[in-house]
Amino acid sequence: MRASKAYREAGVDTEAGAALVDRIKPLAQSTARTGSSPDLGAFGGLFDLAACGYEDPVLVAANDGVGTKLKVAIETGRHDTVGIDLVAMCANDLIVQGAEPLFFLDYFASAHLDVDAAEAVIAGIATGCRQAACALIGGETAEMPGMYAAGDYDLAGFCVGAVERARVLPRNDMRAGDALIGLPSSGFHSNGFSLIRKILNDHGLSYSDGTSFTGELSVGDALLEPTQIYVKPILAALRTTDGIKGLAHVTGGGLVENIPRMLPEALAADLDLSQVKQPPAMDWLSALAGLGNEDRLATFNCGLGMVLAVAHKQSASVIGALSDAGEAPVLVGELVPRTSAPVSFNKLPKSW
């Protein structure tokens, strides 16, 4: 059946939507895993939890977006990485509760569907799903004339995972002296971009400009570095060690707001960031804007995308497991009795 002429004249092209589904079916199929169905285009996505071998599973769900990082992708015309960000923001939220991501669904909305741009975005989502070992089992593409400016689009992601009931994180046995281990970020990830865009605008800079730290890359390319997905190395460490008591995914609010989310009220995090390598773009932009330490710590991840609370005696084995899985973990502090703020910094990066 051909698309309705009247609907097309109103700004909605259902034939473009059907063409997009045909293009993305192979992308979704490339993310198949145990429990997933290869079909795409039904009213709902199917997943067989029993096939995954859990004994007493708890389901964990998360949804998120990419924020105004999308404006960077739209204005540079580079759509291939924000899909990875979308998966990362959801899957990393699941792993902090010990959950293995199982399946993912996306929502893509625009005024008028650009099939090429949408395909590039969803190819990124498929890449992110493969990195997180979860299946892309469905989604929604919405054309909404009048809701979005020409060329703009919005993204949302939804991820479901599972964890054995006895292994849900954070654990209730955290204590003073437990080690804090950080995993490096790949850049800004998907937070702070309203401030980033304002700084660039205030200084008359464009995404096509180059800087001393980007080399052959443009500022836009550096900003679009996708969010690191920590699922596989953390799952490996959880399966081969028993020392991980809690995790914090460092997103909006930076280290100051996210680390307390894994802590009991009686404990605080005492951090030493002197050995944490700062992403060059973060240092450059902060210096350009003259951002103080307080603003940096409360806005950006400051080089750490994930922080783990680990039993002191098992910190070496956890660091070894994470290293074997391809991460570069850094010992960044310890838990202490809480007397005031839930996070304190006894040393800051040398580049600040």
Side-chain angles (χ1 to χ4, degrees):
M1 181 182 295
R2 292 186 57 81
S4 160
K5 178 182 177 182
Y7 206 14
R8 188 167 57 249
E9 289 175 349
V12 178
D13 187 350
T14 56
E15 289 183 346
L20 178 62
V21 171
D22 287 340
R23 289 199 198 182
I24 65 177
K25 279 183 179 180
L27 298 173
Q29 290 166 352
S30 75
T31 71
R33 54 151 293 153
T34 301
S36 67
S37 168
D39 297 328
L40 191 69
F43 287 97
L46 301 178
F47 191 90
D48 183 0
L49 182 61
C52 296
Y54 288 95
E55 296 179 3
D56 185 21
V58 174
L59 293 178
V60 185
N63 72 295
D64 212 334
V66 184
T68 59
K69 189 173 186 176
L70 287 180
K71 293 294 289 184
V72 183
I74 291 165
E75 291 175 22
T76 60
R78 183 181 170 189
H79 310 286
D80 58 333
T81 63
V82 288
I84 301 174
D85 289 300
L86 186 68
V87 177
M89 298 303 288
C90 297
N92 285 341
D93 277 354
L94 294 187
I95 194 63
V96 300
Q97 294 189 264
E100 172 192 15
L102 299 176
F103 59 86
F104 189 89
L105 298 97
D106 68 276
Y107 176 81
F108 180 99
S110 62
H112 303 287
L113 182 61
D114 180 331
V115 175
D116 290 336
E119 181 184 14
V121 170
I122 296 169
I125 292 172
T127 297
C129 284
R130 291 192 297 271
Q131 291 178 8
C134 65
L136 177 59
I137 65 169
E140 169 68 6
T141 303
E143 271 191 292
M144 297 189 288
M147 287 291 292
Y148 298 95
D152 280 356
Y153 59 84
D154 199 9
L155 281 178
F158 308 84
C159 197
V160 174
V163 56
E164 296 289 0
R165 190 180 306 272
R167 299 187 67 83
V168 173
L169 296 177
R171 287 166 27 182
N172 60 10
D173 62 341
M174 287 188 199
R175 61 192 54 165
D178 284 344
L180 293 170
I181 296 169
L183 299 182
S185 68
S186 54
F188 289 102
H189 286 184
S190 297
N191 301 103
F193 274 84
S194 293
L195 175 59
I196 292 166
R197 291 167 49 244
K198 180 180 184 300
I199 293 170
L200 294 178
N201 184 66
D202 288 348
H203 289 80
L205 295 171
S206 73
Y207 298 126
S208 61
D209 289 338
T211 70
S212 58
F213 76 87
T214 55
E216 295 181 359
L217 296 175
S218 66
V219 171
D221 288 334
L223 294 178
L224 287 171
E225 181 69 27
T227 305
Q228 182 77 9
I229 295 178
Y230 300 99
V231 170
K232 290 180 180 179
I234 291 177
L235 280 178
L238 287 169
R239 288 166 178 165
T240 58
T241 72
D242 192 37
I244 299 174
K245 297 183 178 184
L247 299 110
H249 180 202
V250 186
T251 56
L255 297 167
V256 174
E257 292 188 13
N258 286 288
I259 291 178
R261 297 170 70 180
M262 70 169 171
L263 299 178
E265 291 186 1
L267 293 175
D270 186 39
L271 294 177
D272 174 358
L273 302 185
S274 62
Q275 303 303 312
V276 177
K277 184 178 180 181
Q278 298 297 294
M282 205 172 289
D283 265 348
W284 170 75
L285 199 75
S286 298
L288 183 68
L291 291 183
N293 294 343
E294 185 175 343
D295 281 328
R296 289 180 69 147
L297 291 165
T299 306
F300 302 139
N301 59 53
C302 299
L304 297 176
M306 191 74 70
V307 176
L308 297 77
V310 176
H312 177 73
K313 291 183 178 180
Q314 298 188 52
S315 58
S317 61
V318 171
I319 288 173
L322 292 167
S323 298
D324 289 344
E327 280 295 332
V330 181
L331 188 63
V332 293
E334 64 177 1
L335 296 184
V336 297
R338 187 181 302 191
T339 57
S340 55
V343 181
S344 60
F345 301 88
N346 64 64
K347 290 184 182 179
L348 294 174
K350 298 174 182 177
S351 60
W352 287 18

